[in-house]
Amino acid sequence: MNSNPLMQPWAGAHGLPPFADLAPAHFQPAFDAALAEHRAEIDAVAAQPDAPSFANTLAAFDASGRGLTRLEHLFYTLAASATSPELQAVQRALAAPLAEHNSAVYMHQGLFARIEVLFEQREQLALSSEQRRLLERVHLDFLRAGARLAPEARSRYAAVMTRLAELNTRFAQNVLAAENGYQLRLTTEAELAGLPDFVRAAARQAAIDRGLGDDVHVITLSRSLIVPFLSFSARRDLREQAWRAWVGRGDGHAEDGGATDNREICREILQLRAEQARLHGHACYADYALEDTMARSQAAVMGLLERVWHPALAAQAREREAVQGAMAAAAATHGLQPWDWRFYAEQAKRARFELDEAEVKPYFALDRMVAAMFDCASRLFGLQFKPRPDITAYHADVRAYEVFNADGSLRGLFLQDNFARPTKRSGAWMNALRNQSRALGSTPVILNNNNFARGAAGEPTLLSFDDVRTLFHEFGHGLHGLLSSVEYERLAGTQVLRDFVELPSQLYEHWMAEPQVLKQFARHWQTDEPLPDALLAKLQAARQFGQGYETLRYTASAIVDMAAHALPTAPADVVAFERDTLAQWQLPHEVGLNHRLTHFQHLFSSAGYAAGYYVYLWAEVLDCDAFDAFVEAGDVFNAQVAARLRECILSAGNSVEPGEAFRRFRGRDPVVEPMLKDRGLLPA
């Protein structure tokens, strides 16, 4: 115990642990101690002789488990961003005990009885609005975890949740293994045909990072590498090979003897979630999941998805004509396949708008876009970001910044980890190493993870326009965590309803495309020339090209998610179910899905977005309408609108019901037309 750095005071800057001293073997004993400590705290709250009060029950519960919470934040950060076989083994071993502990806490009958008393008396307790919100949310947390079930049902429910935790862990580790197991090596000029310099540089660096030498190029399944490969490679055979590997993750076709096959894991997760819903009295998991969302019902979700589906189909049909025109111009005689779309769409965009991504990308160096991201936050919210190169984290890629308010007071710590590597899961995400809470005296420590393809040695990392959007998106989540200003940790930052959580992130994307931002920060990495007006005009003109294709890919994934979780029992074959669902909706063959079920981490690495992938579109309705408030003010950096956004949305966390929070900001409920307009899906 004395030699375990996790069980000593964390004396790093801002309370960070001694990352350099940590080893996977430290976590099991640290978790054993933290779990025992939390159980003792919960038992003490439940057993006290005084009558339940907000202070001795709700506030005490919110303050409990601090050692466990900080350990979980750290562990899951490392498991996602800097894993190893040893750490993965610990993760598998801990999945069941952590799930069992969570069930034991939220099914604790003594504690729940006290919370139930307070909930029944809530009208007479003279609570503040935030205290009332905490009581309502915690009470609902207990109900949704099964606290009111009969004893036999509680026992079964806990077993279901434990098994789900084990399966979620296996699913995520299989996806990472499938992604790391694939390398498309390019060793000749013929194999590199069509690839612009920035793709070659990134592929060469990927080979160096994997110890393959500097005389080979490697295409991995990192989105920042495979998407440009599919867009530019003139080798149709290699495009098909890469595409099949990308979409086939987890479906049993990897050449690893079935080690990363997620089909049966998906089926069992769906089966257990259906049972979970039945224990709560719901017909299917979608009904259970949507009960605690803004949408509330499958009908509301499907109504929104259908509203964009048909305009997107029409837009994609128009885009297909342009793609087929590019194929004809290239004298292509083959039919249009999914691995052809991005290649010929890029040529069609180049012909229609005279826009070449290879011409655009040199203006979007990562460091300059990070500066743009910070500058927008400074202009909107008065934040200042001070680099702290002396603060070391879990990997050399991580950059640390202290964040200060306009008056010079400390706001929190922001960490950014931007590059893809084999020890890091795919995608982009934000998480907190520590949430803000006035009651606990804690300032936030927020981490953004991206998976950009690193530039060649001595050269900057160049981003695509889509990469820049991702950068700003995750920082929108980061601002939601950094600007949190609530009393109680349970209500802090991004711990809001899941179809509200994407509002700050997607709203922040709007500033990355603002001409005044681009003119200041988008500068050629070699000449320092600002983005030319003519090139900016082309970017704006081409902004909606391809939105039909991208909207269908996203919406199809959301439809399959909802359809799978609307079943009363799991399908016998998840791949066949996915195929049949897409056929019913008549998804064009060449479009495909953003995520197939067998690698859909949003759904199966946890329950966070299960029956909830629709939330990006739901939040897009909110974010487009919210950004219109700045447009209507005549200034996208309008101080009054920014102050209202900060107060009503970003600082409020979950202390206010989200519909009410939006109304306080906008003065009314959201409308859908700005989103349809932004995607180019309104009728002409």
Side-chain angles (χ1 to χ4, degrees), residues 99-272:
E100 290 164 358
H101 176 78
N102 189 71
S103 292
V105 169
Y106 284 94
M107 292 181 179
H108 196 295
Q109 293 303 286
L111 178 58
F112 179 60
R114 296 178 69 87
I115 293 171
E116 187 94 290
V117 167
L118 293 173
F119 184 76
E120 292 170 354
Q121 298 174 349
R122 62 192 182 281
E123 300 293 348
Q124 292 79 44
L125 293 179
L127 301 176
S128 70
S129 60
E130 185 175 336
Q131 289 172 334
R132 170 83 176 242
R133 180 70 174 170
L134 179 67
L135 173 57
E136 292 171 347
R137 294 307 303 170
V138 170
H139 182 258
L140 186 59
D141 290 342
F142 274 76
L143 292 181
R144 290 179 63 77
R148 202 181 271 172
L149 298 176
E152 184 177 339
R154 285 203 306 272
S155 177
R156 176 56 189 164
Y157 193 89
V160 166
M161 300 312 292
T162 296
R163 179 59 178 163
L164 282 170
E166 294 172 332
L167 293 168
N168 294 154
T169 300
R170 286 177 54 196
F171 182 94
Q173 292 187 358
N174 281 354
V175 174
L176 180 62
E179 291 171 347
N180 287 340
Y182 180 79
Q183 295 176 355
L184 176 60
R185 300 192 187 192
L186 310 175
T187 59
T188 68
E189 187 60 34
E191 291 172 336
L192 293 164
L195 299 182
D197 289 344
F198 73 86
V199 180
R200 294 183 182 216
R204 184 168 175 266
Q205 188 61 47
I208 294 172
D209 292 344
R210 286 156 180 76
L212 301 176
D214 58 2
D215 58 347
V216 64
H217 298 73
V218 165
I219 302 301
T220 70
L221 298 183
S222 169
R223 183 177 180 87
S224 288
L225 196 49
I226 195 162
V227 168
F229 178 77
L230 293 172
S231 300
F232 292 104
S233 174
R235 285 288 298 270
R236 188 169 187 259
D237 58 330
L238 298 181
R239 292 202 311 270
E240 179 180 359
Q241 181 181 326
W243 179 86
R244 290 191 182 281
W246 193 32
V247 303
R249 290 165 290 161
D251 72 356
H253 289 98
E255 296 178 1
D256 56 14
T260 61
D261 189 345
N262 272 334
R263 290 174 296 178
E264 180 56 28
I265 293 175
C266 288
R267 195 204 64 78
E268 187 177 352
I269 289 174
L270 290 170
Q271 189 70 21
L272 290 170

Side-chain angles (χ1 to χ4, degrees), residues 171 175 243-254 261-263 266 553 556-558 560-561 573-579 582 587 591-604 613:
F171 182 94
V175 174
W243 179 86
R244 290 191 182 281
W246 193 32
V247 303
R249 290 165 290 161
D251 72 356
H253 289 98
D261 189 345
N262 272 334
R263 290 174 296 178
C266 288
R553 285 176 58 79
S557 296
V560 170
D561 163 36
D573 183 336
V574 296
V575 172
F577 172 80
E578 177 184 274
R579 182 181 61 245
L582 297 178
L587 178 72
V591 175
L593 294 158
N594 267 1
H595 309 283
R596 294 188 56 216
L597 289 174
T598 54
H599 56 254
F600 208 161
Q601 298 215 62
H602 287 79
L603 308 190
F604 297 115
Y613 193 60

Side-chain angles (χ1 to χ4, degrees), residues 425-462:
R425 73 171 176 88
S426 59
W429 65 98
M430 166 268 185
N431 63 278
L433 283 166
R434 184 173 66 237
N435 284 310
Q436 176 271 335
S437 166
R438 285 195 297 273
L440 299 174
S442 62
T443 54
V445 178
I446 302 299
L447 171 65
N448 273 181
N449 265 280
N450 295 296
N451 265 285
F452 302 136
R454 191 192 305 272
E459 296 183 1
T461 294
L462 302 178

Side-chain angles (χ1 to χ4, degrees), residues 303-461:
L304 177 62
L305 296 178
E306 288 178 15
R307 184 158 186 184
V308 302
W309 182 258
H310 299 292
L313 277 174
Q316 190 268 340
R318 294 190 296 270
E319 293 161 6
R320 187 192 303 118
E321 293 178 2
V323 167
Q324 290 174 330
M327 294 176 68
T333 57
H334 53 76
L336 178 60
Q337 296 294 334
W339 50 89
D340 296 318
W341 180 275
R342 293 181 187 274
F343 179 72
Y344 289 108
E346 181 65 28
Q347 295 188 23
K349 184 169 69 172
R350 189 181 308 171
R352 176 173 295 187
F353 302 102
E354 298 181 342
L355 183 64
D356 185 347
E357 186 174 345
E359 179 187 6
V360 173
K361 208 161 185 179
Y363 292 93
F364 293 99
L366 173 60
D367 288 349
R368 286 193 182 277
M369 293 302 101
V370 170
M373 179 184 85
F374 287 159
D375 183 72
C376 289
S378 178
R379 295 178 66 181
L380 288 164
F381 310 117
L383 299 180
Q384 302 299 321
F385 298 84
K386 177 186 176 183
R388 285 292 306 270
D390 56 307
I391 295 179
T392 58
Y394 54 84
H395 194 278
D397 286 346
V398 180
R399 298 289 178 263
Y401 304 86
E402 284 183 325
V403 187
F404 296 92
N405 294 307
D407 62 5
S409 59
L410 180 68
R411 183 78 244 156
L413 184 70
F414 175 66
L415 304 174
Q416 192 173 45
D417 182 356
N418 282 323
F419 299 115
R421 53 181 178 269
T423 58
K424 187 180 186 181
R425 73 171 176 88
S426 59
W429 65 98
M430 166 268 185
N431 63 278
L433 283 166
R434 184 173 66 237
N435 284 310
Q436 176 271 335
S437 166
R438 285 195 297 273
L440 299 174
S442 62
T443 54
V445 178
I446 302 299
L447 171 65
N448 273 181
N449 265 280
N450 295 296
N451 265 285
F452 302 136
R454 191 192 305 272
E459 296 183 1
T461 294

